[in-house]
Amino acid sequence: MMIYAKLFWEFFKTGLFAMGGGMATLPFLYDISDRTGWFTHQQLADMIAVSESTPGPIGINMATYSGYLTAGYSGAVTSTLGLITPSIIVILVVATFLNAFKDNKYVNAAFYGLRPASTAMITAAGLVVARVTFFADGVHWKAVVLAVILLLLTNTLKATKKLHPVVWIVISAVAGVAFSF
């Protein structure tokens, strides 16, 4: 029973402080991994891949997967509830008071100040994911080459820039199988 309380608490804290969406949960997940040993950094990299390629918000997918690895189906539900509870509470509170403060310069300044913090957290998470993906146990050249190709295709060629992200996920999965990643 104690594991469920710990899972709920760890993901509650993550949900409370991970501003900026699902990728902003990654630094918290790495911290949870380091402190609890519930999952390894390699398992976390796998979670990212699965969470990015399945429907739903990445943060919730990650919490569900982490909870499942730690304590099965009950752990998955507990972690997910822990992650979403702060958002529900905050949204209810904000919705109650937002109209009264929507033009308040301090509220607007606070929201503006949260943007760089969210950007930094997402960037830090991205750098950790890149390090694990490309450089864990030496340089993974296939992953580097695939990432460069995808980066070029999604940002330079007009015909490929507009393709839906699902197309790139499928292409990446096929490339992973075809080239034995």
Side-chain angles (χ1 to χ4, degrees):
M1 192 61 158
M2 190 61 151
I3 188 67
Y4 300 113
K6 288 180 180 179
L7 277 168
F8 185 87
W9 177 242
E10 290 297 332
F11 284 93
F12 184 88
K13 292 186 301 185
T14 300
L16 187 61
F17 296 112
M19 305 290 181
M23 292 304 280
T25 64
L26 290 178
F28 293 93
L29 292 172
Y30 279 104
D31 178 62
I32 291 170
S33 170
D34 293 340
R35 285 186 299 100
T36 66
W38 290 339
F39 45 86
T40 66
H41 285 208
Q42 185 58 48
Q43 287 172 313
L44 190 52
D46 294 341
M47 284 184 228
I48 294 165
V50 170
S51 295
E52 284 283 5
S53 59
T54 54
I58 186 172
I60 293 173
N61 291 349
M62 297 280 286
T64 304
Y65 194 7
S66 300
Y68 179 77
L69 282 178
T70 304
Y73 291 110
S74 299
V77 170
T78 302
S79 297
T80 303
L81 288 174
L83 186 77
I84 66 171
T85 299
S87 296
I88 292 169
I89 293 168
V90 168
I91 288 170
L92 291 173
V93 170
V94 167
T96 303
F97 297 105
L98 188 58
N99 279 337
F101 296 102
K102 68 181 178 183
D103 295 323
N104 183 294
K105 69 178 183 177
Y106 299 111
V107 171
N108 289 332
F111 282 126
Y112 188 78
L114 287 172
R115 291 181 196 142
S118 297
T119 302
M121 291 178 72
I122 292 168
T123 301
L127 291 172
V128 170
V129 171
R131 187 190 69 209
V132 169
T133 302
F134 302 133
F135 305 112
D137 304 323
V139 178
H140 296 165
W141 288 108
K142 292 177 187 176
V144 171
V145 170
L146 179 61
V148 169
I149 290 170
L150 291 172
L151 186 65
L152 291 172
L153 289 174
T154 58
N155 287 292
T156 58
L157 295 176
K158 191 173 188 176
T160 58
K161 282 175 82 168
K162 295 182 181 181
L163 290 176
H164 196 277
V166 171
V167 172
W168 297 112
I169 291 170
V170 170
I171 289 170
S172 298
V174 169
V177 171
F179 297 108
S180 302
F181 276 80

